[in-house]
Amino acid sequence: AQKVTQAQTEISVVEKEDVTLDCVYETRDTTYYLFWYKQPPSGELVFLIRRNSFDEQNEISGRYSWNFQKSTSSFNFTITASQVVDSAVYFCALSEDRDDKIIFGKGTRLHILP
Amino acid sequence: GAGVSQSPSNKVTEKGKDVELRCDPISGHTALYWYRQSLGQGLEFLIYFQGNSAPDKSGLPSDRFSAERTGGSVSTLTIQRTQQEDSAVYLCASSLDSATQYFGPGTRLTVL
């Protein structure tokens, strides 16, 4: 069965600090996709990144970086020099096929304090 | 550019009434998904369309829920005889390459 666990329910950090959001996944498939979505207070889910299971290269996009480790079934997300606008709920997610539904973790609510 | 749109943005209904929720996917996207988000259950998959057919309806919670998609575009999610536990935000997503799903703003349904 597929499962995504985000152990951190809520995190608060002061602006400009770095913060890492943890994600651990379970799947029996060898081919799968991992995602991160951001849900700001407005409510709309914003796509951030997709990785497929064959691509373990870490990725950096501006202040955002992602660390994918198959050995530990983890796909962690780091925000460097956090800003108040980063405050949101962040969801890690998994799908086991290109056409498959996405299974979401419970989300981590991130508060960036000014 | 135009994203996924959903209507209405908010719907308040009385228990026992039927409701219809609409989703307009991104133009050209062949895959369409419905999810719902509630405090207790998080984000749950409901149904997936590829074109007009629905190969995966596994997430529909009961036979009161149904969905259709016409012309490979607009989709309607119908909930019959609404119950209070149906209160949630209903999210629609569409996908071109069937791997990355882009979400609409959702419809907040409140059943009194």
Side-chain angles (χ1 to χ4, degrees):
Chain A
Q2 47 185 323
K3 184 179 178 182
V4 177
T5 301
Q6 295 179 257
Q8 303 149 310
T9 306
E10 200 158 347
I11 301 175
S12 293
V13 300
V14 177
E15 196 173 20
K16 297 183 185 175
E17 286 185 357
D18 299 348
V19 58
T20 295
L21 309 183
D22 297 333
C23 174
V24 174
Y25 62 92
E26 293 176 31
T27 177
R28 293 195 181 113
D29 278 17
T30 55
T31 302
Y32 51 90
Y33 296 86
L34 296 165
F35 306 83
W36 278 94
Y37 284 85
K38 174 183 180 180
Q39 190 172 44
S42 60
E44 192 155 347
L45 274 169
V46 178
F47 166 77
L48 296 178
I49 190 172
R50 177 189 98 201
R51 304 301 281 173
N52 73 50
S53 51
F54 296 109
D55 184 2
E56 277 193 84
Q57 276 202 349
N58 293 327
E59 182 154 340
I60 298 174
S61 176
R63 296 183 297 106
Y64 294 173
S65 62
W66 291 270
N67 183 285
F68 176 23
Q69 290 196 342
K70 288 178 78 170
S71 60
T72 55
S73 297
S74 65
F75 186 42
N76 296 338
F77 173 30
T78 297
I79 303 175
T80 303
S82 59
Q83 299 176 3
V84 172
V85 293
D86 296 326
S87 296
V89 180
Y90 290 86
F91 292 94
C92 180
L94 164 74
S95 72
E96 289 182 334
D97 199 344
R98 287 181 68 84
D99 297 329
D100 206 3
K101 57 186 175 286
I102 291 179
I103 301 300
F104 287 87
K106 295 292 188 188
T108 297
R109 184 175 297 277
L110 178 62
H111 300 278
I112 308 298
L113 308 173
Chain B
V4 178
S5 60
Q6 293 186 244
S7 60
S9 54
N10 278 285
K11 177 72 177 177
V12 180
T13 190
E14 293 179 351
K15 179 181 171 182
K17 302 278 191 184
D18 297 352
V19 295
E20 284 189 355
L21 312 179
R22 177 188 168 105
C23 172
D24 274 282
I26 294 171
S27 179
H29 280 197
T30 56
L32 186 149
Y33 306 77
W34 283 98
Y35 296 81
R36 73 175 176 182
Q37 184 174 25
S38 57
L39 277 174
Q41 301 300 320
L43 273 156
E44 304 173 279
F45 165 80
L46 297 177
I47 187 170
Y48 153 60
F49 287 92
Q50 182 61 251
N52 291 334
S53 64
D56 189 351
K57 305 179 184 178
S58 62
L60 294 177
S62 76
D63 57 10
R64 296 186 296 105
F65 287 71
S66 63
E68 64 174 13
R69 189 179 185 197
T70 54
S73 182
V74 171
S75 176
T76 302
L77 177 69
T78 301
I79 309 173
Q80 295 179 311
R81 306 181 301 282
T82 51
Q83 303 294 314
Q84 288 183 331
E85 61 263 28
D86 300 334
S87 295
V89 176
Y90 289 82
L91 294 163
C92 176
S94 71
S95 173
L96 175 62
D97 63 1
S98 296
T100 301
Q101 298 176 25
Y102 297 92
F103 284 79
T107 294
R108 182 175 297 276
L109 174 66
T110 303
V111 182
L112 301 176

